[in-house]
Amino acid sequence: ANGYYRSRWNKCIHSSRDFSDMVFVDNYIFNKDVHIQFNSTVGEFVGYTALGVHNAELWNKDTTGLQQERAQVDSFCKHNAQIRQ
């Protein structure tokens, strides 16, 4: 609304058939630029803009939310990959 565009996409990436290298990436996008990203190999949110850095610092202090995001590799990625395989 009002000319602003917000979206979010997440993706599971892997190259081995046993899913041992599975990575979960969760992007928060504002006006077509990623401003916050969670990558399961990093294990926390990373901000790429001033607002993104500020919000990533706040979100990383929320241990419950951070644990839920980290668990997405098993509960979302590996689960769905096993079904599709």
Side-chain angles (χ1 to χ4, degrees):
N2 299 328
Y4 295 104
Y5 176 77
R6 287 182 358 153
S7 65
R8 177 182 179 188
W9 67 261
N10 49 46
K11 187 174 193 174
C12 302
I13 304 166
H14 66 91
S15 60
S16 66
R17 294 188 62 76
D18 66 353
F19 311 126
S20 61
D21 62 346
M22 183 75 70
V23 177
F24 174 71
V25 179
D26 193 5
N27 289 302
Y28 295 81
I29 301 159
F30 180 71
N31 285 350
K32 299 182 182 179
D33 291 324
V34 175
H35 68 103
I36 299 174
Q37 181 182 76
F38 177 86
N39 184 316
S40 63
T41 57
V42 176
E44 63 182 20
F45 292 96
V46 176
Y48 294 102
T49 64
L51 180 61
V53 169
H54 174 74
N55 285 330
E57 289 173 357
L58 292 175
W59 295 358
N60 287 330
K61 291 178 185 175
D62 176 14
T63 56
T64 303
L66 203 54
Q67 279 302 108
Q68 290 174 343
E69 198 79 12
R70 290 176 182 153
Q72 292 297 317
V73 172
D74 292 319
S75 62
F76 176 71
C77 292
K78 290 182 181 177
H79 172 75
N80 288 321
Q82 289 169 347
I83 291 171
R84 291 186 181 118
Q85 192 179 48

